[in-house]
Amino acid sequence: MALLERTEVAPPPPEPAAKPAAGVVGARRRFLPTGVLLALLAVLVLLPAGLVLLAAFTGRVPRPGNVSFDLTVVNFSIFAEPEVLRAFVNSLLLAVLATLLAVCIGGGLAFLAARSNIPMRRFVYLVGLMPLFLPSYVGALAWSILASPFAGLLNIAQRDLGMSIPINAYSMPGLVFVFAVYYSPYTFLLVHGAMSMMNPDLEEAARVHGASSGRMLRRVSFPLATPAIVGSAILTFTLIFENFPVAQVLGTPGGVDTLPTFIFRLLNATPSRGNESAAIAVVLVSIVVLVTWWQHRVLAKRSYTTVTGKGVRARRVSLGRARLPLFALVVLFFLLSIVLPILALVITAGQTSPYTSSISDFWAPGGLDFTSFTDVLADDVFRSAAQNSIVVSLAAAAIGTLLAFVSAYVTYRTKASGRGLVEAVSMVPLAIPAVVLGMGLLWTWLVMPIPLYGTLALMVVAFLAVQTPQGFRGVASSILAADRDLEDSAVMHGARRTRAIRAITVPLMRTGLLSTFVLLLMLSMRELTVPLFLYTSDTTILSIAIYDSFENGGALREAAAMSVIYTAFMFVLSSLPRLLDRRRARS
């Protein structure tokens, strides 16, 4: 009994901690890739946009240790000022008129190149694309040389000939013309693709029932291309409505203010009026979103399917007696969009005197001296800007292509939770004008505790943010076209998924990835608006150097020389995919 009484009962062992359910673990694993991507995209895109929105509804601009959450709508009272209303009307009128003209030019060239019997159709196709080689702000700078009211080369030539037709680039018609010329390639590319793939059955039916060629085009061909026409029109409207450089170069001297130039002026005022500029930016974004929504409403009402599995080719439309006059108009557009602007830049680069009273002055002894090109190439400022541009553009293109590939792969090749959000957030910058995103990026990286401001790394981050939609769409089209069965077969035979991607999927997508890389490289080289908010003397890139030189009239020769070199480099850059494809086809 005593023994029994002294016996102690051992306490039961502790129960093991409950393990998370298998479903919860699986959900976490499925969300991990999208979670990482969404966090990265949020820092790149959503945070800058959010700070602009916050600044619009508060009384203080976001600064380190000075982020206010005291909400107010007083900033929107700026819309009661006549200058803002005038800028809004100018922006809207300019975007509508320039879009209509750009769609007519691009759509007409697309029809001539894709569906007509016009002479030299390959040349017509190149004419439709060539304005892309000349960045819009370089085109604007060239037309400021050609058509300024008093010292423009075209006006000087007119005086030499005894003519007095007013040509003024510093006006609403001048802005409409320049915008339409350099944004027409967007319509050309989209409409040319639609017309090239169009099934001709409905057109043949219209012919059988007695419709003339003109009536068939009006009632059948162009209506069937409505998605491409409307899509390109919305894209063009958005790009023109938010454009800052062209409006600044041509509009400001003529007193034609737009919302982007007004925002920029508010930010550079003393003291800076950042909250009011953010309020204007919110309205700017709202209009872009509204127009995009309207596009979806219009296209959702009807079906435009014309491409089927039937192997047919649309018949070429005979232009009749209009064949040669239309070709002459194409040549005229080529002269106005490419030849005259580049010629103006070359002449300005060689001009020895800033004052010209007659075109004959250029042919006088010592009238032209092209040593400015060698001076520019030897200039430390140009070399530094060119080196910065190359480094930033290559880094942005490489990282942007990688980010786009990962985002598109997660979206279209995995079952990760929230993959649709990755695509949605990637496309957000399309709805945010560059002037707005530049402002948001400036505030973001002043507030963030990461010391990127004043470094080339910030330029790379900014370009990644701006070009996320283009990169995602470029890679997505390639990844959807690549059959995933080969990759899955490699995994079934024991290869890791990452190895299968490297060995099979990436080589299959090589052309698409290369095209996306070159596209992002060109966009980075062309970008001006966003760097204007972020650059310092140590991080000046080529587009900024050209813009600053043109703003400073004393450096006009050097700026023109830089523009010519810059345009030549862009032309070579745009030819790389075709050259590499030809080399690959021969090997």
Side-chain angles (χ1 to χ4, degrees), residues 260-483:
T261 59
F262 198 83
I263 289 173
F264 189 75
R265 191 161 64 250
L266 287 179
L267 284 171
N268 286 277
T270 305
S272 178
R273 300 169 66 182
N275 296 100
E276 292 169 310
S277 63
I280 298 174
V282 168
V283 173
L284 200 62
V285 173
S286 301
I287 292 172
V288 171
V289 171
L290 183 65
V291 170
T292 306
W293 170 81
W294 176 79
Q295 173 200 4
H296 289 298
R297 279 287 298 260
V298 169
L299 297 183
K301 292 180 179 179
R302 296 176 62 184
S303 173
Y304 300 91
T305 302
T306 62
V307 181
T308 66
K310 187 178 178 181
V312 291
R313 175 174 293 183
R315 181 190 300 177
R316 303 214 174 274
V317 177
S318 175
L319 300 176
R321 287 182 292 183
R323 188 167 177 256
L324 292 180
L326 287 174
F327 182 73
L329 288 177
V330 172
V331 174
L332 177 63
F333 177 76
F334 175 62
L335 291 174
L336 294 175
S337 62
I338 299 297
V339 176
L340 274 179
I342 291 180
L343 185 61
L345 292 171
V346 171
I347 289 175
T348 303
Q351 190 174 347
T352 55
S353 171
Y355 307 104
T356 302
S357 59
S358 172
I359 296 297
S360 60
D361 293 347
F362 297 135
W363 319 127
L368 291 176
D369 179 9
F370 295 103
T371 56
S372 58
F373 288 99
T374 55
D375 292 341
V376 163
L377 291 172
D379 184 50
D380 291 337
V381 174
F382 174 80
R383 288 182 174 182
S384 174
Q387 181 179 344
N388 288 344
S389 287
I390 292 171
V391 170
V392 168
S393 299
L394 285 173
I399 299 172
T401 304
L402 177 61
L403 177 62
F405 175 79
V406 174
S407 299
Y409 189 91
V410 168
T411 301
Y412 295 112
R413 287 288 179 90
T414 72
K415 296 181 180 180
S417 301
R419 60 189 182 277
L421 269 178
V422 173
E423 180 175 10
V425 176
S426 296
M427 303 309 293
V428 164
L430 281 181
I432 304 177
V435 67
V436 178
L437 197 54
M439 184 167 50
L441 285 163
L442 172 64
W443 292 338
T444 297
W445 294 102
L446 286 175
V447 171
M448 292 279 281
I450 304 173
L452 282 187
Y453 185 76
T455 67
L456 290 178
L458 179 56
M459 290 292 189
V460 175
V461 170
F463 289 160
L464 289 176
V466 174
Q467 295 156 16
T468 298
Q470 293 88 341
F472 182 88
R473 279 291 160 226
V475 175
S477 60
S478 298
I479 207 167
L480 288 172
D483 192 350

Side-chain angles (χ1 to χ4, degrees), residues 546-571:
I546 294 172
Y547 177 80
D548 281 348
S549 296
F550 267 100
E551 287 291 299
N552 175 16
L556 194 59
R557 284 189 67 199
E558 290 74 13
M562 280 193 282
S563 297
V564 174
I565 297 169
Y566 177 61
T567 302
F569 182 72
M570 294 293 291
F571 180 79

Side-chain angles (χ1 to χ4, degrees), residues 169-297:
Y170 302 149
S171 63
M172 181 64 76
L175 278 164
V176 168
F177 169 78
V178 172
F179 271 125
V181 165
Y182 294 104
Y183 283 97
S184 62
Y186 296 98
T187 298
F188 174 81
L189 284 170
L190 292 176
V191 175
H192 185 275
M195 287 197 162
S196 298
M197 297 186 298
M198 190 176 292
N199 189 307
D201 289 347
L202 294 176
E203 292 179 339
E204 293 299 327
R207 290 180 185 277
V208 168
H209 287 81
S212 63
S213 294
R215 184 176 177 82
M216 178 200 72
L217 292 173
R218 291 193 307 270
R219 301 296 297 272
V220 178
S221 303
F222 280 103
L224 285 174
T226 296
I229 294 172
V230 173
S232 63
I234 297 301
L235 175 62
T236 303
F237 175 90
T238 302
L239 292 174
I240 294 174
F241 190 71
E242 69 179 39
N243 183 280
F244 165 76
V246 176
Q248 177 72 7
V249 170
L250 298 181
T252 300
V256 182
D257 224 352
T258 64
L259 286 181
T261 59
F262 198 83
I263 289 173
F264 189 75
R265 191 161 64 250
L266 287 179
L267 284 171
N268 286 277
T270 305
S272 178
R273 300 169 66 182
N275 296 100
E276 292 169 310
S277 63
I280 298 174
V282 168
V283 173
L284 200 62
V285 173
S286 301
I287 292 172
V288 171
V289 171
L290 183 65
V291 170
T292 306
W293 170 81
W294 176 79
Q295 173 200 4
H296 289 298
R297 279 287 298 260

Side-chain angles (χ1 to χ4, degrees), residues 519-533:
L519 172 64
L520 296 182
L521 186 62
M522 288 185 65
L523 290 174
S524 299
M525 291 292 297
R526 292 165 61 102
E527 183 59 42
L528 172 63
T529 305
V530 170
L532 273 175
F533 289 90

